[in-house]
Amino acid sequence: MAFQRRIFSGIQPSGNLHLGNYLGAVRNWVKLQNEFECIFCMVDMHAITVWQDPADLVRSTRELASAMIASGIDPERNVLFNQSQNPDHTTLAWIFNCVARMGWMNRMTQFKEKAGKDRENVSLGLFAYPALMAADILAYKATHVPVGEDQKQHLELARDIAQKFNHDYGGEFFPLTEPQIFGTATRVMSLRDGQKKMSKSDLSDQSRINLTDTSDAIADKIKRAKTDTQALPETTEGLEGRPEAQNLMGIYAALTDKPLDHVVADFAGKGFADFKRALTEAAVAHMGPITAEMRRLMADPGYVDDILRKGGERARALSAPVLREVYDTVGFLRP
Ligand code: TYM
């Protein structure tokens, strides 16, 4: 059976949207919305797998919605909502908890990274997180999921869950979702350490560019970004073994929509000071208008809440028939 092409992606409202989220995910979503039916979700239920101050969570959800709209996601054309507005996600997640195997979950590298040495003390939700993520996607029978590279393993697990569900219940109920990892910035690294992913949870704010940063803050962060001592290389091969140069040039290529080899050719033999000036200019020119629009939207929380509420209604209408089918398939009497 062929499934209708449908796109789903999610993002956590825990802290600021940063350049990694923007270049690795949101910007690609903006491009996809012209061609396909898209559902974009702010995953507040995922966020509480680690402690979130309630007031901060509400603020972050509104801020993230504002950032997405300011980045060009059209809330009329797409379904834009926060996860907790649609309880179908958690209902399906419970069923998937009973499909997924402990061994599969134990292999998740993101869990291992986040739990660290404190495995006994993290929430059960953090461990079960990838099953909820599979439910987010499959509650809509989404076929394609645009994400950054770090989500690849979770999406493989979603395929395993779909496959086992289909096998156990004897039908082709769920699609085997395809990850869409594209663009030149599928893994944006920290400005302080080119070997570490740019992340909301990094304690150093200097490690990331936030969508809320002022032009001065962006300039300052780029100025202080870690580099090495050599001049910039002549070819992309010359970036190998130079993670900071690779990261900064990758960011520049993504912001200016130029292929990386052109960027390398443009700055061949130059020092980091020249390059950082150009990068600052590109970052400020690209992010400035988005930040300004985001601030305008954040000043009107009623408008943003209304968009999310309407998005939630539309999301529930899309997942309802899928959940009815799941109830019948699993042997639950429908409400
Ligand atoms: P989250 O909130 O960590 O990140 C949201 C999106 O941003 C991408 N991303 C990056 N891309 C490039 N470089 C980086 N440094 C970088 N950091 C983050 C992520 O790959 C992601 O696409 N588990 C997910 C949220 C989620 C989800 C889903 C995604 C929940 N349910 C269903 C897709 C489908 C997460 O924590 O993303």
Side-chain angles (χ1 to χ4, degrees), residues 187-197 226 242-247:
R187 195 170 168 81
V188 176
M189 309 308 275
S190 156
L191 298 181
R192 308 298 295 162
D193 177 354
Q195 321 252 29
K196 231 168 93 183
K197 191 179 77 169
K226 188 173 170 201
R242 299 182 63 184
E244 282 80 23
Q246 183 153 33
N247 186 39

Side-chain angles (χ1 to χ4, degrees), residues 187-237:
R187 195 170 168 81
V188 176
M189 309 308 275
S190 156
L191 298 181
R192 308 298 295 162
D193 177 354
Q195 321 252 29
K196 231 168 93 183
K197 191 179 77 169
M198 185 178 283
S199 156
K200 290 170 211 170
S201 48
D202 197 315
L203 291 176
S204 163
D205 193 57
Q206 290 288 332
S207 69
R208 60 184 164 260
I209 292 176
N210 303 305
L211 260 71
T212 43
D213 283 347
T214 60
S215 305
D216 286 349
I218 294 176
D220 184 56
K221 287 178 180 179
I222 293 177
K223 199 167 154 199
R224 296 203 215 180
K226 188 173 170 201
T227 56
D228 55 44
T229 51
Q230 298 169 54
L232 290 163
E234 312 270 324
T235 62
T236 48
E237 289 77 50

